Amino acid sequence: MTDEPRVLVMYVGGTIGMQRTPRGYAPEPGLLGGLLGRMAQFQDPERPRGTMPVSQFGRVVRWHLEEYSPLLDSSNMDMADWVRMAEEIARLYDEFDAFVILHGTDTMAYSASALSFMLRNLGKPVVITGSQIPLIENRNDALDNLLGALTVAGHFHIPEVGLYFHHKLMRGNRTRKMDASGLDAFQSTNFPPLAEVGIGVDVAWHRVRRMPRGPLVVRPITESNVAALRVFPGITADILGNFLQPPLRGVVLETFGAGNVPDIRPDFLDVLRRATEAGIVIVNCTQCPRGTVKPDYVGGRALAEAGVVGGADMTPEAALTKLAYLLSRSELSVDEVRRWMAVDLRGEMTVPVERPRFDFADSRFVRGVASALAPGEGQLEVRREINRALLPVVMCAAASHGDLPTLRALVEEGAAPDLPDYDGRTPLHVAAANGHGEICRFLIGQGAGVVPRDRWGHTPEDAARAAGHGAIARMLSGAAVSGEGT
Ligand code: ASP
């Protein structure tokens, strides 16, 4: 960024710039711009309009305010408004270094999630914020939130759609509004903040997504036939059946705990099965504010058997907007939409590591190691644990030595080709770092993910490049581009 970064501030509506009226708070055109121009925090009196005073980091942020017409309470916003914001960012992308969106809090988490999907290859900061109390009030949270958002956007190159609230920058598609009255209103329970603002600004760079390679592309959300349904005790199959009707194309099913529904109710499961067979994409998300969906219980497994896609730890907001985004892509079949729903596209989900289907009893290779460690019958659980602990290490070791026959044997016996070790390094990372192109091609051919990140945030391509294996890095980059597609 330059010493005088330019930030476009888009005021789309919400409490932050509202005025008191006899019927309650309402957005007031022109109010926010007038206030900012008179406040010392936002305006250096000696410099042109929109020039902030020098920051603690020695930079002068220059903002330009653009106001929407009409200004909206965010409860009145819909998908067309999401697209409008995305297209405006794309239109002015080259003119500004960063973007701040001032938005109502009620549906801010939806807009942040939707923008993250629509702005493919985003390479500049987009920070969305708002407030619970308007800036015109004497005591407010608007000043802190707006100043914090401008500071973060204007100083730190975080190429993501972030949501800034109450001293934290969070990944937008991980957030939820959790408090209708308190000032610490947004939480990102399944993913720690990208930055925390205290005396200084502490950016967790290892969590920040890498710069994309390609140019920004807006892929608009046009499909509005999506919905969310919260399961509750005693929900009838009739209600569910009436809900799952055309023109509905996608549903976020908010289930109990780790993704459960009543599994002793064949009528309920039948309705779901019929809906998935009819082409409705149903995604299983937990109604708990924290945690992830897992197929550990009979109820969760029954859903998977009925064709319901596991939503891992996605928020319902992220799942709904992702569903709308993927269903808007006319080139994707229903099965492809289901497959992409389970893939992490923009950091919105923690992809569950597939447990190895591998069983050492079938494998001569690991059998020797396992029997040495856990001799005797009747210790299946111990053996399984040993498998779980050893397999990634053994696979990474084989990848590091270029030992294709061993890798092939393990994969043929059911080991996942991209099993990460304790540092999140997959066999592809190791093969790439050691210059074993043939092993890389084999692993990719077996369906290994090309862009997993290890605990330092590095992809296999990064590992190849760092070790000077340019040809392998280029091959991995090509595979990532052709494979991702969304
Ligand atoms: N109803 C308002 C809105 O979402 C609330 C707020 O901005 O905080 O626009």
Side-chain angles (χ1 to χ4, degrees):
M1 280 197 191
T2 63
D3 278 349
E4 298 212 349
R6 300 203 63 209
V7 181
L8 177 68
V9 180
M10 296 158 56
Y11 178 38
V12 300
T15 298
I16 192 161
M18 286 191 186
Q19 176 67 287
R20 272 197 225 143
T21 74
R23 297 189 58 223
Y25 286 129
E28 166 92 2
L31 178 77
L32 199 65
L35 287 173
L36 296 186
R38 291 195 298 274
M39 293 172 75
Q41 292 90 339
F42 298 103
Q43 181 63 55
D44 179 339
E46 310 290 316
R47 304 265 326 252
R49 178 174 163 78
T51 311
M52 289 173 77
V54 184
S55 73
Q56 69 178 125
F57 307 100
R59 279 202 193 148
V60 171
V61 174
R62 289 187 298 146
W63 52 266
H64 172 78
L65 181 74
E66 192 179 75
E67 202 172 82
Y68 270 45
S69 177
L71 289 168
L72 294 169
D73 184 300
S74 75
S75 17
N76 290 321
M77 292 177 76
D78 60 24
M79 290 171 179
D81 297 302
W82 301 342
V83 175
R84 191 167 158 209
M85 288 187 276
E87 286 178 343
E88 189 61 1
I89 290 171
R91 189 175 74 82
L92 296 169
Y93 195 65
D94 294 333
E95 285 181 42
F96 291 91
D97 300 295
F99 301 82
V100 168
I101 301 177
L102 305 182
H103 192 291
T105 56
D106 288 346
T107 67
M108 194 189 287
Y110 287 92
S111 291
S113 300
L115 285 171
S116 77
F117 296 117
M118 287 189 293
L119 295 170
R120 182 159 189 247
N121 289 336
L122 178 66
K124 294 186 177 183
V126 172
V127 180
I128 187 163
T129 192
S131 67
Q132 298 273 64
I133 311 175
L135 189 61
I136 42 133
E137 296 292 359
N138 205 17
R139 185 182 66 82
N140 67 65
D141 57 334
L143 174 60
D144 256 4
N145 287 346
L146 178 48
L147 203 49
L150 269 171
T151 305
V152 169
H155 291 79
F156 303 95
H157 201 103
I158 298 175
E160 297 209 24
V161 177
L163 187 151
Y164 185 87
F165 223 85
H166 202 69
H167 318 301
K168 295 187 291 277
L169 180 76
M170 295 160 276
R171 178 168 294 155
N173 56 31
R174 291 286 194 155
T175 58
R176 306 196 74 185
K177 184 171 179 180
M178 302 284 245
D179 196 332
S181 339
L183 301 186
D184 191 6
F186 285 84
Q187 304 298 329
S188 163
T189 46
N190 285 330
F191 193 76
L194 296 174
E196 289 183 82
V197 177
I199 291 177
V201 177
D202 195 2
V203 179
W205 287 111
H206 60 289
R207 286 186 207 122
V208 172
R209 287 169 69 72
R210 291 295 175 92
M211 279 293 282
R213 294 236 161 70
L216 176 77
V217 186
V218 175
R219 290 185 159 168
I221 292 180
T222 50
E223 178 58 72
S224 53
N225 291 311
V226 290
L229 179 70
R230 189 178 167 100
V231 174
F232 54 88
I235 183 172
T236 67
D238 269 357
I239 287 187
L240 189 66
N242 283 326
F243 183 81
L244 296 171
Q245 291 298 325
L248 195 60
R249 294 190 61 208
V251 177
V252 177
L253 195 67
E254 295 182 31
T255 54
F256 306 129
N260 299 310
V261 291
D263 64 87
I264 51 166
R265 298 253 316 274
D267 57 339
F268 184 88
L269 294 170
D270 269 359
V271 172
L272 289 173
R273 187 174 306 106
R274 276 202 301 276
T276 59
E277 281 166 7
I280 296 181
V281 181
I282 308 180
V283 185
N284 182 3
C285 285
T286 175
Q287 47 186 256
C288 297
R290 185 191 301 274
T292 186
V293 159
K294 284 188 187 158
D296 284 353
Y297 292 90
V298 178
R301 209 165 282 258
L303 278 182
E305 281 161 12
V308 174
V309 185
D313 61 352
M314 267 189 292
T315 63
E317 289 87 339
L320 187 104
T321 52
K322 183 174 177 181
L323 203 46
Y325 169 72
L326 291 172
L327 287 169
S328 302
R329 307 272 311 280
S330 52
E331 72 278 18
L332 297 181
S333 68
V334 168
D335 279 341
E336 282 168 327
V337 170
R338 290 198 177 112
R339 195 164 66 79
W340 283 115
M341 276 309 291
V343 173
D344 177 26
L345 297 180
R346 308 282 190 267
E348 74 282 4
M349 72 195 292
T350 313
V351 176
V353 176
E354 205 184 296
R355 289 226 185 105
R357 278 173 291 133
F358 176 86
D359 180 351
F360 90 96
D362 303 332
S363 157
R364 253 178 289 149
F365 179 76
V366 181
R367 193 186 299 154
V369 181
S371 59
L373 290 170
E377 302 284 325
Q379 301 193 34
L380 267 182
E381 195 42 45
V382 177
R383 290 176 188 181
R384 230 173 263 136
E385 284 309 316
I386 290 170
N387 260 350
R388 211 169 287 156
L390 276 187
L391 204 49
V393 179
V394 170
M395 291 191 64
C396 285
S400 131
H401 296 130
D403 184 350
L404 187 55
T406 296
L407 271 178
R408 197 189 296 280
L410 290 170
V411 170
E412 273 168 16
E413 288 173 30
D418 45 9
L419 216 50
D421 71 7
Y422 36 80
D423 278 331
R425 285 171 74 76
T426 63
L428 195 56
H429 280 98
V430 177
N434 286 282
H436 297 309
E438 203 194 354
I439 303 258
C440 292
R441 273 186 294 277
F442 166 73
L443 290 166
I444 294 169
Q446 294 299 315
V450 210
V451 287
R453 291 177 192 278
D454 63 18
R455 65 185 279 217
W456 300 281
H458 298 142
T459 61
E461 190 195 330
D462 297 329
R465 193 155 281 128
H469 302 300
I472 292 182
R474 280 191 296 282
M475 174 185 78
L476 289 167
S477 155
V481 169
S482 64
E484 198 213 338
T486 51

